[in-house]
Amino acid sequence: MKSALQDVGWALGIGRIGAILAPTFCGDLLDMKLSLQVNFLAFAILCIIAAMAIRFIQDNFSNMTANRQEKKLI
C-alpha cells in the first residue's frame, strides 16, 4: 500500500508543478508573438509527451496488478 500512496503523492506534486509552470509558459509564448498555430503546436507536443508518460505508467501498473493477482492464486 505504501508504494501506491507514494505514486499518488508524486502525481499530485508533478501536477502542481505543471499548474505553476503552464501559465508562465503560455505568457512566454504570447510575448514571442508567434502565430496561433505555433502556440497550439507547443501545447500539443506537451500533451503528447504527457499521454506517452501515462501510457508507460499504465503498462507498468497493469503488470504489477497481474503479478499480485497471480500471487494470490498460488
Side-chain angles (χ1 to χ4, degrees), residues 20-34:
I20 293 168
L21 294 179
T24 305
F25 180 66
C26 184
D28 288 343
L29 282 177
L30 291 174
D31 282 344
M32 290 184 214
K33 299 190 188 326
L34 300 172

Side-chain angles (χ1 to χ4, degrees), residues 40-59:
F40 276 110
L41 183 63
F43 280 101
I45 290 170
L46 293 175
C47 290
I48 290 170
I49 292 170
M52 290 187 325
I54 290 171
R55 178 68 180 177
F56 176 72
I57 291 169
Q58 186 178 15
D59 285 345

